[in-house]
């Protein structure tokens, strides 16, 4: 089981000027449909349908996460479209849909998520160690650090979406 060490920031505006100016180099763009199968006490099971917006390729993943805060255990693997559809049909839930832009800024890989069902845009950075994450100095354009704010976690946002 690998560790996911991640910081999340509330991006005040999409950094179009940084992309156009070459400071932020886009690597990939994906549309992600994310559905939770089970959530309890810091553990979660989810599935994703991931569509590459440039090539059109579609992949499906199943993920287990365990833990709270910026460091969590994670197991993720590819599954077939058939398994994905069976799980989606079983839970009959609304997927959380976001467009993810993966880019490199200042030698660091960042992921920008724009949620399509609500007004929310975040930028995430993953790290190899807790020390590296804790010593990271985010630039002002990243916005407010919401890494430990539960209301901005994907599972909380997804749960709220189910109530609508």
């Amino acid at each position: 089981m690998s560790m996911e060490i991640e910081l999340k920031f509330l991006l005040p505006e999409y950094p179009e000027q940084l992309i156009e100016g070459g400071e932020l180099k886009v690597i990939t763009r994906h549309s992600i449909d994310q559905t939770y199968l089970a959530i309890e006490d810091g553990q979660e099971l989810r599935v994703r349908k991931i569509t590459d917006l440039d090539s059109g390729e579609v992949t499906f993943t199943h993920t287990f996460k365990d833990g709270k805060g910026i460091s969590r255990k994670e197991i993720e693997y590819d599954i077939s479209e058939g398994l994905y559809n069976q799980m989606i049909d079983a839970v009959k839930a609304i997927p959380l849909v976001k467009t993810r832009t993966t880019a490199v800024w200042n030698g660091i890989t960042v992921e920008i998520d724009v949620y399509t069902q609500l007004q929310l845009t975040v930028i995430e950075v993953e790290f190899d160690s807790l020390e590296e994450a804790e010593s990271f100095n985010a630039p002002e354009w990243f916005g407010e650090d919401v890494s430990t704010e539960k209301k901005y976690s994907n599972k909380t946002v997804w749960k709220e979406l189910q109530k609508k």
Side-chain angles (χ1 to χ4, degrees), residues 131-144:
E131 296 77 25
E132 191 181 340
E134 290 170 343
S135 67
F136 179 70
N137 289 317
E140 195 172 303
W141 66 268
F142 272 35
E144 178 186 352

Side-chain angles (χ1 to χ4, degrees), residues 28-32 50-54 57 59 98-102:
T28 59
R29 297 177 320 112
H30 293 101
S31 176
I32 300 172
I50 305 166
T51 305
D52 186 306
L53 295 174
D54 296 314
E57 179 186 2
T59 56
K98 57 189 173 182
T99 300
R100 171 168 288 169
T101 301
T102 302

Side-chain angles (χ1 to χ4, degrees), residues 82-148:
L83 274 178
Y84 171 83
N85 287 331
Q86 287 178 51
M87 288 187 253
I88 291 298
D89 289 346
V91 296
K92 298 189 183 338
I94 300 165
L96 180 62
V97 180
K98 57 189 173 182
T99 300
R100 171 168 288 169
T101 301
T102 302
V104 175
W105 168 80
N106 215 18
I108 299 166
T109 300
V110 299
E111 294 176 333
I112 300 168
D113 289 342
V114 179
Y115 295 82
T116 61
Q117 296 131 312
L118 53 154
Q119 290 192 321
L120 178 63
T121 303
V122 299
I123 185 166
E124 298 177 347
V125 185
E126 287 194 22
F127 300 92
D128 294 327
S129 72
L130 203 48
E131 296 77 25
E132 191 181 340
E134 290 170 343
S135 67
F136 179 70
N137 289 317
E140 195 172 303
W141 66 268
F142 272 35
E144 178 186 352
D145 184 344
V146 295
S147 303
T148 57

